[in-house]
Amino acid sequence: MTRLAICPGSFDPLTVGHVDLVERAAALFDRVVVAILVNSDKSPLFTQAERVAIVREVFAPVKNVDVEAFDGLLVDYADRRGAVAIVRGLRSATDTDYELSMSLMNRHLKPSVDTVFLPTAASVAHVSSRLVKEVWRLGGDVGGLVPPVVEARLRAMRAMDAPAR
Ligand code: PNS
């Protein structure tokens, strides 16, 4: 039996913290689906198609990782995919509060899909998509916070003088 786990999120943008989490999940489970939430933010940095393309490119070398977009309830998607677990990273006590209530709600909705928490690597515990977005929008350097492919796209976006999204 293939034990499949879902790594869900907005991934706007994908950060080095996400990469650490997905790679560790891929070492624990037979297959991992990185599930990108559609329309999570009214003013996303990257479109859904861009996020899917970026995440696919970054995880292309990891053979047991697939990438998909999803909409609606996460537990319904996880159930359709036959997942045994949802994997989420924990950076802090604040994360724990939020993640615990989300996992309990998900378990209430679909007891067959459990949540597995992985403590984030200490070296990336300060990294979040929200802060990366803020730093970038204010002209800061996001090198080392996101994979090189994301950094290159952000640099190109700035070079084109794209209006702040
Ligand atoms: O990267 P994020 O924004 O922290 O990811 C949050 C995500 C996508 C995991 C969460 O918002 C989610 O599961 N959304 C799907 C809708 C859903 O199932 N909501 C009920 C959660 S208890």
Side-chain angles (χ1 to χ4, degrees), residues 22-125:
V22 171
E23 286 180 348
R24 285 160 64 202
L28 289 171
F29 291 91
D30 298 320
R31 289 213 77 74
V32 168
V33 178
V34 180
I36 303 177
L37 180 65
V38 175
N39 295 333
S40 59
D41 188 342
K42 286 195 173 58
S43 58
L45 198 51
F46 291 111
T47 65
Q48 178 207 326
E50 286 171 328
R51 281 179 280 146
V52 169
I54 289 168
V55 179
R56 285 215 169 113
E57 186 175 337
V58 168
F59 293 110
V62 192
K63 293 302 166 210
N64 63 337
V65 173
D66 298 315
V67 181
E68 289 180 356
F70 83 101
D71 207 355
L73 277 180
L74 173 59
V75 285
D76 289 341
Y77 170 76
D79 196 43
R80 279 200 304 280
R81 292 301 268 106
V84 294
I86 292 164
V87 178
R88 295 283 289 172
L90 293 179
R91 286 165 301 202
S92 63
T94 311
D95 272 1
T96 308
D97 272 1
Y98 169 67
E99 294 294 337
L100 189 59
S101 58
M102 203 159 65
S103 73
L104 292 173
M105 179 57 77
N106 282 335
R107 190 121 192 268
H108 167 85
L109 294 169
K110 195 80 69 181
S112 57
V113 183
D114 222 326
T115 300
V116 171
F117 294 122
L118 293 180
T120 200
S123 57
V124 294

Side-chain angles (χ1 to χ4, degrees), residues 11-20 127-130 132 145-147 150:
F11 303 102
D12 185 45
L14 181 76
T15 69
V16 290
H18 293 129
V19 174
D20 170 64
V127 180
S128 69
S129 293
R130 186 180 64 79
V132 166
L145 302 173
V146 293
V150 175

